[in-house]
Amino acid sequence: MIVTNRISLRKLVGFTWPQLLILLVFTVLACSAIRLVPQELLKALSFATGFLGTALAFLIGFRNNTAYGRWWEAHKIWSALKYETRNFGLLVQSLSQADVTIQRQLLHRQAAFAWRLNRFLRRLPAGAEEASLLGKDEAAQIETRRNPPLAILDLQNQTLRQLAADGRLDSYRLVQLTERLTRFNEALGSCERLKKTPFPMQYTWFMRYTLVVFLFLLPISLAGHLGYWSLPFSLIIGCAYIMLEYVGRYIETPFENQVNDVPMDYISRTVENDLREMLGETGLPPAIKPQGLGYLY
């Protein structure tokens, strides 16, 4: 997630330079062909390009609003996961009949769930955080499952059932803790839905093809009115459309290990430190801070 007010133009150009290069080539060719095309045709073409640009602006605006909705939904899921985890920790602390070892195991597992879900969504292997929280045996057992975050919730459920069977957990608290596990599973399922259900590709392809046609016609239509001055104006207008299309394309995928992601590392570390503080542990790992130009992962 970008948490700075500064926007690096160099970064934006670095991401979009292929489209900008194509636009520059189109513009140079259009300016070179000014004298080969009747002026009346060039001016008439500007009306069609204007209508096409207006329609494209609506398409990009709709796509960007939808993409931001996907990103915001992902952020809400992870924010809810954070405070539901804190509720889980408070409930575990209230288990007077459970010894400190069991409480520590439950809270460390739950912190590991946040880290493993983080890496599961980004298609990354398990990190050192999960191994330190789970222990080598449990970490190895979880990695044999197709869905490691769900495997952690399964272990949590088994521990709670065993505590209830031993008479160390009353039915009321069992229901409350099981409800929290259900909400963690809902968060997992919601994240998987966003990850595996991309924005409709038919719409994306249509918009990209329309953008290419618009960028091809823009310098030609402007050349009939501005002559060689169409070169800078085509680049400025075309650059705005390209940048807007780029923004929507990248924020619609909030779990791709990019600067536009939901800050899952930051939230996972916050969850871990909160739960470990509840246990009275010290020497906690440092909080995740923005990197580079204000990128929070």
Side-chain angles (χ1 to χ4, degrees), residues 2 5 34 51 66 69 76 85 108 112 119 147 156-157 167 173 183 206 232 242 248 273 282-283 297:
I2 300 176
N5 293 328
I34 288 178
F51 286 117
T66 305
K76 288 194 296 183
T85 302
H108 277 206
R119 292 181 173 271
N147 193 320
Q156 293 285 68
N157 185 56
R173 285 188 174 85
R183 292 174 187 175
F206 175 73
I242 290 173
N273 287 345
T282 57
Y297 287 93

Side-chain angles (χ1 to χ4, degrees), residues 65-293:
N65 285 336
T66 305
Y68 178 75
R70 288 170 57 86
W71 184 92
W72 183 241
E73 182 184 0
H75 197 284
K76 288 194 296 183
I77 292 170
W78 272 83
S79 297
L81 178 64
K82 179 171 63 177
Y83 62 71
E84 286 294 347
T85 302
R86 291 170 177 167
N87 291 337
F88 181 84
L90 294 174
L91 285 171
V92 169
Q93 280 194 311
S94 69
L95 303 180
S96 57
Q97 296 181 354
D99 58 33
V100 176
T101 302
I102 294 296
Q103 293 179 349
R104 181 176 180 275
Q105 183 184 53
L106 288 169
L107 295 190
H108 277 206
R109 270 201 205 127
Q110 206 53 50
F113 170 78
W115 279 112
R116 196 64 192 91
L117 176 59
N118 173 353
R119 292 181 173 271
F120 177 70
L121 294 173
R122 287 172 167 166
R123 295 192 176 95
L124 296 174
E129 297 87 359
E130 298 98 290
S132 64
L133 291 166
L134 294 171
K136 293 183 179 180
D137 293 338
E138 277 197 357
Q141 176 186 351
I142 286 167
E143 292 309 310
T144 62
R145 302 277 291 271
R146 294 177 57 187
N147 193 320
L150 182 59
I152 294 177
L153 295 182
D154 187 24
L155 287 176
Q156 293 285 68
N157 185 56
Q158 292 177 26
T159 300
L160 294 177
R161 296 291 177 183
Q162 187 61 48
L163 288 173
D166 295 341
R168 301 159 68 187
L169 178 61
D170 60 82
S171 58
Y172 176 72
R173 285 188 174 85
L174 175 62
V175 170
Q176 286 187 312
L177 289 168
T178 304
E179 285 179 353
R180 295 302 179 282
L181 294 183
T182 300
R183 292 174 187 175
F184 296 144
N185 185 44
E186 290 175 355
L188 169 60
S190 297
C191 289
E192 288 178 310
R193 170 175 52 81
L194 287 174
K195 178 74 176 182
K196 297 178 180 180
T197 309
F199 195 82
M201 295 307 299
Q202 301 91 331
Y203 187 92
T204 300
W205 293 334
F206 175 73
M207 187 179 64
R208 288 182 183 177
Y209 295 150
T210 305
L211 179 61
V212 170
V213 173
F214 174 75
L215 294 178
F216 179 75
L217 294 178
L218 177 64
I220 299 176
S221 61
L222 289 180
H225 295 276
L226 302 176
Y228 292 105
W229 280 102
S230 63
L231 178 61
F233 284 99
S234 296
L235 290 175
I236 293 172
I237 298 172
C239 182
Y241 277 86
I242 290 173
M243 294 295 184
L244 288 173
E245 192 275 335
Y246 160 80
V247 169
R249 178 157 37 95
Y250 277 88
I251 65 173
E252 74 181 20
T253 53
F255 305 132
E256 296 299 324
N257 202 28
Q258 298 171 346
V259 297
N260 298 295
D261 278 6
V262 171
M264 293 185 288
D265 284 356
Y266 170 78
I267 296 175
S268 298
R269 179 57 54 79
T270 301
V271 165
E272 176 187 356
N273 287 345
D274 287 346
L275 294 180
R276 294 178 67 178
E277 278 187 338
M278 289 181 183
L279 295 168
E281 297 182 12
T282 57
L284 303 178
I288 303 294
K289 296 183 179 180
Q291 304 176 17
L293 299 175

